[in-house]
Amino acid sequence: EAQVTQNPRYLITVTGKKLTVTCSQNMNHEYMSWYRQDPGLGLRQIYYSMNVEVTDKGDVPEGYKVSRKEKRNFPLILESPSPNQTSLYFCASVLTSGNPGELFFGEGSRLTVL
Amino acid sequence: AQSVTQLDSHVSVSEGTPVLLRCNYSSSYSPSLFWYVQHPNKGLQLLLKYTSAATLVKGINGFEAEFKKSETSFHLTKPSAHMSDAAEYFCVVSDWSGGTSYGKLTFGQGTILTVHP
């Protein structure tokens, strides 16, 4: 089954404790991206990756890091989380060849930073 | 720069009546436009997309949208609402212009659709 898998789905942590949210897709998609969703703000792009070893900043990259060492994985790293990073995070992927295809979203990871 | 404005944060309709969710966009080139739906505690699912082909686009579950360049609008409609349509809807613009790049996506703020029995 084609899917984007995020882990963990729920996490409560404390300020300053490094954490990683993993994202994996099984569709051989080139493009992967991270978004955060906050009430009244829609989804805002954090980082995206056009392919392996190619990443770029989205609209709200501050406080986040990413890496793309393998095509299927695109982890989101919070080196020193702060309460303003409390949010619902989504990973998405898409096959970029030709027309922009359907963005496949993960189920979301709800992060609370105390 | 590109932007998207969803004109209503909440829309409430009765089951069986038409649905209209409004979206205006701003883009300095020919954009690609999308509507996504998010059911509670779920990820987003693509409803339909416009990529410079037909201006009237049909999507899943009876939804359709019309691209109007002169009005910079991409409103989502459905003739008859169903209870299962209750969800949050997002209008999205992309600066994709062909080839292998996907482009930058900008999401609207979302419209919550409530459907009453």
Side-chain angles (χ1 to χ4, degrees):
Chain A
E1 180 190 353
Q3 58 185 2
V4 177
T5 303
Q6 297 178 224
N7 280 295
R9 295 286 316 281
Y10 302 90
L11 178 65
I12 300 174
T13 190
V14 295
T15 300
K17 186 176 182 181
K18 180 180 178 180
L19 67 92
T20 299
V21 186
T22 64
C23 175
S24 180
Q25 50 92 5
N26 62 0
M27 296 165 281
N28 202 37
H29 286 170
E30 293 100 344
Y31 180 99
M32 297 184 74
S33 183
W34 277 103
Y35 301 87
R36 61 178 289 173
Q37 182 177 20
D38 302 289
L41 297 178
L43 273 77
R44 293 177 292 168
Q45 191 175 46
I46 302 170
Y47 270 95
Y48 64 97
S49 169
M50 299 298 296
N51 214 324
V52 176
E53 302 291 1
V54 181
T55 62
D56 209 346
K57 296 177 180 178
D59 295 317
V60 287
E62 296 78 18
Y64 305 94
K65 286 175 59 178
V66 293
S67 68
R68 187 89 183 275
K69 295 184 170 60
E70 307 165 279
K71 200 170 188 179
R72 63 182 293 126
N73 295 323
F74 189 45
L76 179 70
I77 303 156
L78 286 72
E79 293 272 3
S80 182
S82 62
N84 64 12
Q85 293 178 296
T86 293
S87 187
L88 178 58
Y89 292 87
F90 287 99
C91 179
S93 72
V94 66
L95 188 67
T96 56
S97 300
N99 287 332
E102 176 174 343
L103 257 183
F104 284 83
F105 281 85
E107 296 269 287
S109 295
R110 186 168 294 281
L111 171 65
T112 301
V113 183
L114 301 175
Chain B
Q2 59 193 26
S3 66
V4 177
T5 301
Q6 292 182 240
L7 298 169
D8 306 290
S9 58
H10 290 82
V11 170
S12 181
V13 302
S14 297
E15 191 174 22
T17 64
V19 175
L20 170 63
L21 305 183
R22 298 181 295 165
C23 171
N24 285 358
Y25 71 91
S26 171
S27 177
S28 55
Y29 30 70
S30 296
S32 295
L33 292 158
F34 309 81
W35 275 99
Y36 281 83
V37 60
Q38 184 181 29
H39 287 94
N41 300 314
K42 295 290 186 183
L44 283 76
Q45 179 186 18
L46 180 67
L47 272 180
L48 49 80
K49 63 183 181 185
Y50 166 78
T51 56
S52 74
T55 56
L56 182 61
V57 181
K58 293 189 185 299
I60 61 172
N61 301 333
F63 283 94
E64 61 182 38
E66 186 171 8
F67 173 71
K68 292 187 176 179
K69 187 175 181 178
S70 61
E71 299 176 9
T72 61
S73 69
F74 190 57
H75 301 334
L76 181 71
T77 61
K78 183 174 180 178
S80 177
H82 191 272
M83 295 296 290
S84 61
D85 295 328
E88 188 164 15
Y89 292 79
F90 292 94
C91 182
V92 182
V93 62
S94 167
D95 65 359
W96 181 83
S97 57
T100 57
S101 68
Y102 192 83
K104 177 179 166 56
L105 295 180
T106 301
F107 283 73
Q109 300 91 330
T111 299
I112 295 173
L113 175 65
T114 302
V115 182
H116 298 288

